[in-house]
Amino acid sequence: MTTRTPLIAGNWKLNKGGEDGCELAAAVARAAEKAPHVSVVVSPPFTALAAVAHTLSEEKSRVEVAAQNLYPKDSGAFTGEISAPMILTAGAKWVILGHSERRQYFAESNAFIREKIAAALAAGLRPIACIGETLAEREAGKTLDVVFEQLDSFADLFTKDPGFGVIAYEPVWAIGTGKVATPEQAEEVHAAIRSRLREKQGEKVAEQTLVLYGGSVKGSNAKELLGCPNIDGALVGGASLEPAGFAEIIAAAEALSAS
Ligand code: PEP
């Protein structure tokens, strides 16, 4: 297990965008109360961002809120977009950026994701920057080439305030597929990410940056994944929509970090 405070983040994607988001957030807040050694974040759609942040603050919860995207301008004629300062105003402290679904369905490039991460950092919003290879890339033996290219495209931005930004390693073939990376497969890439950070960005960034694993994490596999030395938590999609399942993942992190 990591010596860094583990983080469990739930990515709700295109779900729970109304009152149902507040109900789920309240259930997560109850689960987080039993896990004082774990940081917990929930990421609702934009429509529920302010309401979920309000619910959590009413509950006096430590659970924090993340947006799922931003546009890298503070304001202006960008119809349909949301800026980092707006996300902060809504009560969120985090933003998930570079998720593989954004790369795949919205053609987001490494360069554009870098701009978004820079905008988040400039505003004081904590980015969870996602990287990961497709199945074809893994099978072609290109996992580390792809992961390092994505990582190197933004990691220098993390040197100003080491530990403020977070990385999520999410093999695309494991997202929403039920196919989870084995702890050995995941740890191998996490250790390589940590070494790359050390080599390119220095010891402080390497030691203080949380590297989360994401890809079909659930209660039944959380313990063995989170038990790996370079896995500092999880970014959870499907299982974060179900309070009992998400609570199990939080409890697994707590058991490992409290022991
Ligand atoms: C995700 O979307 O970030 C994710 C990891 O999804 P799932 O847990 O459903 O694989």
Side-chain angles (χ1 to χ4, degrees), residues 213-238:
Y213 170 77
S216 299
V217 176
K218 42 186 186 280
S220 56
N221 58 29
K223 187 178 169 194
E224 52 177 5
L225 285 161
L226 296 172
C228 297
N230 284 290
I231 298 184
D232 304 316
L235 180 54
V236 184

Side-chain angles (χ1 to χ4, degrees), residues 11 32 44 72 83 116 123 134 136 152 161 180 244 248 253:
N11 174 13
S83 70
K116 293 183 179 207
T134 62
D152 293 351
D161 190 0
V180 64
E248 261 186 82

Side-chain angles (χ1 to χ4, degrees), residues 88-100:
L88 286 163
T89 300
K93 295 190 173 145
W94 296 82
V95 61
I96 298 171
L97 293 171
H99 192 280
S100 65

Side-chain angles (χ1 to χ4, degrees), residues 9-13 96 99-101 130 168-179 213-218 234-241 249:
N11 174 13
W12 297 354
K13 311 192 186 193
I96 298 171
H99 192 280
S100 65
E101 287 152 15
C130 304
Y169 167 58
E170 300 204 306
V172 180
W173 48 272
I175 296 181
T177 59
K179 273 188 208 160
Y213 170 77
S216 299
V217 176
K218 42 186 186 280
L235 180 54
V236 184
S240 72
L241 297 173
I249 298 168

Side-chain angles (χ1 to χ4, degrees), residues 70-86:
L70 60 69
Y71 192 70
K73 298 280 183 212
D74 285 356
S75 60
F78 302 100
T79 303
E81 296 298 330
I82 311 266
S83 70
M86 289 173 184

